[in-house]
Amino acid sequence: MPWPWPLVSWLVIKKRSRTGVFWASVFSLAYFGFYRQGCVCSIGAIQNVTLALFEQSYVIPLAVLAFFILPLVFTLFFGRTFCAGVCPFGAMQDLVAFRPQKTDPRLNAILGVIPYIYLGLAVLYAATGTDFIICRYDPFVGIFRFNATFGMFVFAGTLLISGIFIARPYCRYLCPYGVLLNWVSRVSWRHITITPTECIQCRLCEESCPYDAIDMPVTDGNPEERLVTTRKLILICLLVPFFAILGGWTGSRLHETLAGDSPKVRLAKTLADPVKSRHQPETFEITAYKSSGKPLAQVYDDARSVLRQFYFGGWILGCFIGLVFGIILAGRLLTRYRTDYTPNRGACYSCARCVDYCPVEKNGLVKMES
Amino acid sequence: MEETGKDPKLNRREFLAKGLRVSALVGIGGLAVLTVKKSLAGETVWQLDPSKCIQCGRCATNCVLAHSAVRCTHVYAMCGYCDLCGGYFKPGTKTLNTAAENQLCPTNAIKRKFVEDPFFQYSIDEPLCIGCGKCVKGCGAFGNGSLQLQVRHSICVHCNQCSIARSCPADAFSRVPAGKPYLLKQITLENPK
């Protein structure tokens, strides 16, 4: 199914049509969501690709690989048009964003770390072959299939109802694939612009973005003193590695907790605990272990190797989260000057809502109010 | 640079963006090449290996579908056509007839049909089967193990991560090529493995 990506990209970049993007997202919700029932999706494909990289025996179906690669490539060329009109999760939340409110930028920055943590955990669990946590905690697949469990229904309901006021809560504060698209979109070849030609600073688009993804002009009369900026830079250069090492250390300390979800580790723990194994009824896992005829030493060895993987994984995951935290903090410390209203390339979903607010037409004239 | 007449600072930023764009493209391409080597054109489907299965009963309850996609399959080539069938009758059944209180299957999904003395044929009424594995356990304990659990691909919704596989205590679930989607044990006189 490679055709929705070029179509949506064309609607966003060339036609600049909100109506077109809207209907594309309705179609995607119906087709990828309710007809194909939302599985396999690009978000979950992260885990398949990771597993394919780390586990020798796993072969990845080409379709799943395409679901992972194509949106990234299109985002690299045209911005996050995938989020606007192809992803059924995004489409569903986009359609319920009736009363979007402004969110506090500090809170936004803090909550924005969650997708990185989620991505890191998903990669760790997929790489160790433990579990696909993105699929496990997928809120919307139960809605697409009309068979959500109670917990899933509550999760999806919370997201959709809060999504009326805080637009796209999953995309902004959870989606791990969004992290990758965010990175790629920052250096995209083309990207949606609010104005077709030149910004006239009319401020009409200021309130148009439901996702707070429009960067306001920063043209402060008296720019920061050089000394202040230098001090900030030194602070950042010290803070970022500090956070990375602190995060890595914390991650490595948590490796046993993280590995607790691995069935191999759980089995070894139960077998190693003589009190538990004697006084409690035999679990199915123990029955299966007994009938498999595996030596006990093998079980302990397996568990130990999983724990070792999680120890290294914990360091890498922790470093990654610390690094992200540090860089986000650095981004908030530094001021970037810009003259025009521009969509933030990382955060913008290319939904094209702002386009309709801009009074500048392609020929450079200002639209007349009727 | 001079022809554009732009601020040189902006050009540096553009240069960096271009460099990053190219490296991102190379990165994505590299990732694609690495994984394409380990990919296959067809799909994979979930299946359980009956030789690992311990009939814990989680297949019936842990599928994302309310009525599990795991059903019992009867490999007739392995069946002994016993009168006293360990998969059909509850242990300790006195009179071997089809009375409901004698049946092991909670949903009456196994049909018993007289063939010739002393042989009976057992068939699975698949729409009734819930995949609990009670009959599989009974047949394996007493008979030849001709009743086996399998994921029915006409019912399965093909989740990326099977939720039964996640909870299977025997690690019996795996992804198999869609072209060869069933993993039945076929132990017969001609194939005594």
Side-chain angles (χ1 to χ4, degrees):
Chain A
M1 298 300 300
W3 49 268
W5 287 283
L7 177 71
V8 176
S9 302
W10 175 74
L11 284 170
V12 169
I13 304 284
K14 273 279 176 214
K15 292 290 285 182
R16 303 169 53 77
S17 159
R18 170 65 200 153
T19 324
V21 176
F22 172 80
W23 286 112
S25 66
V26 170
F27 169 80
S28 292
L29 179 61
Y31 178 76
F32 287 109
F34 289 101
Y35 179 73
R36 287 193 52 132
Q37 309 205 309
C39 198
V40 178
C41 74
S42 296
I43 308 173
I46 297 172
Q47 305 162 114
N48 299 65
V49 172
T50 311
L51 190 62
L53 287 176
F54 282 88
E55 188 161 322
Q56 288 306 313
S57 60
Y58 177 67
V59 280
I60 182 169
L62 267 184
V64 179
L65 189 57
F67 265 102
F68 179 77
I69 296 283
L70 279 179
L72 282 176
V73 172
F74 271 94
T75 303
L76 189 58
F77 280 92
F78 304 112
R80 296 172 70 171
T81 53
F82 166 80
C83 300
V86 188
C87 178
F89 284 29
M92 184 136 91
Q93 294 173 83
D94 209 292
L95 295 180
V96 299
F98 296 118
R99 293 274 177 280
Q101 307 293 315
K102 282 255 170 265
T103 45
D104 181 49
R106 272 163 302 177
L107 190 69
N108 241 339
I110 293 169
L111 290 177
V113 184
I114 301 173
Y116 291 89
I117 300 176
Y118 198 7
L119 174 71
L121 283 172
V123 169
L124 177 65
Y125 279 111
T128 53
T130 310
D131 198 358
F132 277 16
I133 56 167
I134 298 175
C135 301
R136 188 170 181 174
Y137 300 112
D138 182 335
F140 297 125
V141 75
I143 296 201
F144 295 146
R145 289 172 175 165
F146 299 111
N147 70 352
T149 57
F150 181 71
M152 191 189 268
F153 185 75
V154 169
F155 188 20
T158 314
L159 284 176
L160 287 178
I161 290 168
S162 63
I164 298 173
F165 308 104
I166 306 158
R168 290 198 189 228
Y170 184 87
C171 309
R172 283 157 85 186
Y173 308 126
L174 280 171
C175 183
Y177 194 59
V179 169
L180 304 179
L181 293 177
N182 180 317
W183 289 342
V184 170
S185 177
R186 278 166 196 270
V187 293
S188 66
W189 175 58
R190 301 278 293 273
H191 193 279
I192 189 168
T193 53
I194 301 171
T195 168
T197 51
E198 211 167 300
C199 179
I200 56 167
Q201 320 278 338
C202 66
R203 303 181 58 192
L204 282 175
C205 63
E206 224 173 50
E207 305 291 318
S208 68
C209 184
Y211 315 114
D212 300 323
I214 295 180
D215 287 333
M216 310 285 170
V218 183
T219 48
D220 203 351
N222 41 353
E224 226 168 54
E225 272 181 56
R226 203 179 175 85
L227 189 65
V228 179
T229 317
T230 317
R231 275 193 189 142
K232 275 185 181 174
L233 275 174
I234 293 171
L235 186 67
I236 287 165
C237 288
L238 291 173
L239 270 184
V240 171
F242 170 72
F243 277 128
I245 292 167
L246 183 72
W249 181 77
T250 317
S252 70
R253 302 294 294 178
L254 286 173
H255 78 281
E256 262 191 59
T257 319
L258 290 170
D261 215 25
S262 160
K264 285 175 187 165
V265 174
R266 244 180 314 172
L267 176 66
K269 268 191 182 158
T270 329
L271 288 172
D273 190 346
V275 182
K276 225 179 188 176
S277 50
R278 201 177 309 138
H279 296 294
Q280 277 177 8
E282 189 177 286
T283 60
F284 290 124
E285 280 76 7
I286 304 277
T287 314
Y289 154 69
K290 282 181 180 165
S291 70
S292 71
K294 216 172 173 185
L296 191 60
Q298 177 79 46
V299 175
Y300 288 149
D301 271 356
D302 285 353
R304 239 178 254 124
S305 99
V306 171
L307 277 175
R308 209 172 311 122
Q309 285 172 353
F310 270 91
Y311 180 75
F312 287 117
W315 263 106
I316 296 168
L317 170 72
C319 275
F320 173 68
I321 294 169
L323 206 62
V324 165
F325 190 77
I327 289 171
I328 287 177
L329 203 68
R332 292 205 57 78
L333 274 175
L334 295 174
T335 325
R336 257 179 86 170
Y337 298 96
R338 63 180 84 75
T339 51
D340 299 336
Y341 284 88
T342 45
N344 182 306
R345 285 197 162 207
C348 170
Y349 300 113
S350 299
C351 71
R353 278 190 181 84
C354 52
V355 167
D356 290 344
Y357 285 79
C358 185
V360 180
E361 286 206 59
K362 277 205 182 83
N363 53 15
L365 295 171
V366 174
K367 277 182 206 162
M368 296 298 287
E369 292 289 332
S370 56
Chain B
M1 265 200 203
E2 274 164 16
E3 297 112 26
T4 53
K6 276 184 192 165
D7 188 355
K9 203 176 169 189
L10 244 166
N11 277 328
R12 181 177 68 190
R13 188 165 280 173
E14 275 169 16
F15 171 75
L16 273 174
K18 206 170 208 171
L20 284 170
R21 192 181 309 140
V22 172
S23 25
L25 195 62
V26 170
I28 297 169
L31 194 67
V33 169
L34 268 180
T35 37
V36 147
K37 276 201 286 188
K38 285 190 58 193
S39 70
L40 76 176
E43 301 267 316
T44 56
V45 290
W46 286 98
Q47 191 51 273
L48 80 106
D49 185 351
S51 60
K52 287 186 185 167
C53 173
I54 60 155
Q55 300 91 40
C56 64
R58 287 186 192 161
C59 285
T61 52
N62 285 36
C63 183
V64 293
L65 297 171
H67 185 179
S68 174
V70 173
R71 303 287 161 93
C72 182
T73 308
H74 196 183
V75 182
Y76 288 100
M78 286 170 72
C79 182
Y81 293 84
C82 318
D83 183 7
L84 175 57
C85 171
Y88 187 82
F89 292 112
K90 276 186 189 155
T93 299
K94 289 194 180 74
T95 46
L96 300 183
N97 58 31
T98 57
E101 68 270 21
N102 296 343
Q103 290 186 31
L104 194 58
C105 179
T107 59
N108 186 27
I110 307 181
K111 301 286 176 267
R112 172 178 151 105
K113 203 176 110 194
F114 175 71
V115 185
E116 61 173 32
D117 200 37
F119 299 116
F120 287 83
Q121 184 192 321
Y122 298 92
S123 54
I124 311 287
D125 188 355
E126 239 178 57
L128 287 181
C129 176
I130 55 167
C132 66
K134 285 197 168 82
C135 59
V136 179
K137 193 165 206 137
C139 179
F142 184 74
N144 295 350
S146 62
L147 293 170
Q148 295 167 22
L149 290 178
Q150 286 287 276
V151 176
R152 275 288 169 215
H153 298 299
S154 51
I155 305 161
C156 178
V157 288
H158 308 294
C159 298
N160 193 12
Q161 167 71 50
C162 174
S163 73
I164 310 174
R166 182 182 292 135
S167 60
C168 176
D171 199 19
F173 277 73
S174 59
R175 299 175 179 89
V176 298
K180 208 172 163 288
Y182 291 99
L183 290 174
L184 287 163
K185 275 190 290 186
Q186 303 272 9
I187 304 168
T188 56
L189 283 175
E190 292 81 38
N191 181 24
K193 267 205 280 181

